[in-house]
Amino acid sequence: MWSLHPRYLDRQGLLTCWREALLAQRVLVRPGRGYTNHPQLHRFRAQPDPVAAIGRYLAGLADEADRRGYRFDRGRIEQCAGTAPTIPVTRGQLDHERRHLAAKLADRNPDRAVLLPAVVSPHPSFVVVAGPVEDWERAAPR
């Protein structure tokens, strides 16, 4: 799951992010099932209403899908709460994800890779704060 705005993702990235977020939602709704140790679950679990937080995240992905003419089934979102509070994400995390996405796009969609800006915006569920790569990020160089 990406912290950066879904507009930067290619079709494959957007679809994969949707599927991963649905799996994360399942873990939050029914604890003990699925990939319970997914590193990104930490930030959703830390919210006052984790299911609403992942619902807001999924709704942001569905909004981007709508803009592209795709049809994501919003009925799969357990609790779509646009009023869930924004979640802090560090600038270091966004920069890390931007580099990671740039490498993926260079391999599978070079035309889209050249359009990726040097500084990316966050997914609407997140608000940027100063700081390094998040502690839960497993792919980060340490």
Side-chain angles (χ1 to χ4, degrees):
M1 294 187 314
W2 298 92
S3 305
L4 47 80
H5 199 287
R7 73 172 154 256
Y8 305 119
L9 302 174
D10 61 349
R11 180 184 54 82
Q12 182 179 345
L14 184 60
L15 294 172
T16 300
C17 191
W18 174 254
R19 285 191 303 269
E20 284 188 9
L22 286 172
L23 290 171
Q25 176 183 249
R26 185 170 57 189
V27 170
L28 293 170
V29 170
R30 295 175 197 86
R33 297 184 51 146
Y35 186 14
T36 59
N37 294 322
H38 191 290
Q40 296 225 19
L41 283 174
H42 297 289
R43 61 181 169 184
F44 291 104
R45 282 188 180 126
Q47 300 308 302
D49 186 344
V51 177
I54 194 72
R56 181 177 182 184
Y57 183 84
L58 283 160
L61 297 176
D63 290 345
E64 179 62 26
D66 290 347
R67 280 190 278 284
R68 297 184 192 192
Y70 305 152
R71 294 183 186 203
F72 285 8
D73 181 5
R74 289 177 185 267
R76 299 185 71 187
I77 302 173
E78 291 282 335
Q79 184 180 344
C80 187
T83 58
T86 53
I87 301 169
V89 64
T90 62
R91 174 49 60 190
Q93 180 66 29
L94 282 177
D95 292 344
H96 169 73
E97 290 184 21
R98 190 239 175 251
R99 288 188 300 273
H100 187 62
L101 179 60
K104 285 181 171 287
L105 292 176
D107 286 340
R108 70 179 182 227
N109 195 337
D111 292 339
R112 192 160 185 107
V114 298
L115 300 175
L116 193 61
V119 178
V120 294
S121 302
H123 180 288
S125 290
F126 302 112
V127 61
V128 181
V129 297
V133 176
E134 301 282 357
D135 291 340
W136 47 257
E137 179 64 65
R138 292 183 181 168
R142 299 284 178 212

